[in-house]
């Protein structure tokens, strides 16, 4: 009997956590749609997956482009039943030397929020009709408190957390699952630019394993490391002045132009 392939879309598949997730799913029973802007890095991931007879489709797409992204997602979901989407793609920058520029703030929100909405919203009607599907959304520990070191990134990740909570409750009746991932520090190009100690940092491969294990266990929230998650939850309960005091002392994240 021929097995139905597991069809998975991964945005941000050309780097870091998305790339590691793609590699974890490499198998002959999987059909991957790998989204990113770097053809070269997507091809490297695809070549790895091909070793395991995975069906891989590379999609070069800027997720800020709503029309192009919607058209691509619609086209894929008209051809295949989508089992899962990992909406990993994001950018990050901060306030190391100066306040955030309008350009930086817009770039962060249009990628981390609009980019996620552009890739996830077109899938909802299909998943609702199919009465199944899993949407994996990426927040961050930085989304639990508005960080002085990266206010817009922090706000974008806070918005994803709230979006996930709302969608999870709404989509339950359609059997569409929302899984919210809340990572601490993961060793990827996003954190390579940070010039400060990053406690409890783990590799992208380990992060991918934790995330997939959590999905297999049907977890609604996958937060790691647990200790950092609980510390931040407790910090969030402190009086505002205390939070401000701690927050103001955080080391700065470089702006986009300082990362080049
Ligand atoms: N690393 C961490 O410590 C950490 C911690 C908490 C949360 N997270 C979250 O985890 C997720 C993955 O992060 P990561 O560390 O793996 O990041 P990363 O290595 O910097 O990779 C980011 C990915 O996003 C893609 N991307 C960025 N802008 C895009 C755009 N406009 N259109 C299409 N693709 C775009 C990039 O593709 P191209 O390079 O091909 O353009 C790349 O594949 C993100 O949502 C991040 O916020 C990461």
């Amino acid at each position: 009997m021929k097995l139905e392939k597991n069809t998975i879309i991964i945005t941000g598949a050309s780097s870091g956590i998305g790339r590691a997730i793609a590699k974890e799913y490499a198998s002959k029973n999987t059909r991957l749609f790998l989204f990113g802007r770097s053809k070269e890095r997507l091809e490297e991931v695809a070549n790895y997956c091909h070793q395991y007879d995975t069906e891989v489709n590379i999609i070069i797409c800027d997720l800020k482009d709503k029309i192009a992204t919607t058209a691509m997602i619609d086209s894929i979901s008209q051809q295949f039943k989508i089992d899962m989407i990992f909406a990993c793609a994001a950018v990050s920058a901060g306030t190391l030397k100066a306040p955030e520029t309008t350009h930086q703030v817009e770039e962060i929100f249009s990628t981390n929020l609009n980019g996620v909405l552009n890739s996830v919203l077109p899938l909802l009607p299909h998943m609702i009709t199919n009465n199944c599907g899993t949407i994996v959304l990426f927040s961050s520990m930085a989304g639990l408190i508005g960080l002085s070191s990266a206010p817009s990134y922090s706000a974008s990740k806070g918005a994803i957390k709230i979006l996930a909570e709302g969608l999870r409750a709404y989509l339950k009746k359609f059997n569409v699952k929302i899984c919210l991932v809340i990572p601490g520090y993961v060793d990827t190009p996003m954190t390579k630019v940070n010039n400060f100690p990053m406690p409890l940092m783990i590799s992208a491969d380990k992060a991918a394993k934790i995330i997939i294990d959590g999905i297999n266990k049907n977890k609604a929230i996958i937060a790691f490391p647990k200790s950092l998650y609980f510390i931040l939850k407790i910090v969030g309960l402190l009086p505002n002045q205390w939070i401000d005091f701690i927050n103001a002392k955080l080391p700065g994240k470089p702006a986009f132009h300082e990362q080049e």
Side-chain angles (χ1 to χ4, degrees), residues 12 14-15 17 37-38 41 62-63 88 153 157 184 186 188-189 191:
S14 58
S15 174
I17 301 173
R37 291 171 302 179
S38 163
R41 282 189 274 112
D62 185 336
L63 299 178
C88 290
Y153 176 74
K157 292 293 155 181
V186 181
T188 71
T191 47

Side-chain angles (χ1 to χ4, degrees), residues 92-101 104-105 108 146-154 194 196 247-248 250-259:
S92 172
T95 52
L96 180 63
K97 291 188 183 151
E100 291 188 277
T101 60
Q104 179 163 305
V105 174
I108 289 173
L147 297 182
S148 64
S149 53
S152 307
Y153 176 74
S154 210
N194 293 346
F196 51 81
N247 208 346
L250 293 177
K253 173 137 190 134
F256 282 132
H257 68 274
E258 292 158 359
Q259 297 180 16

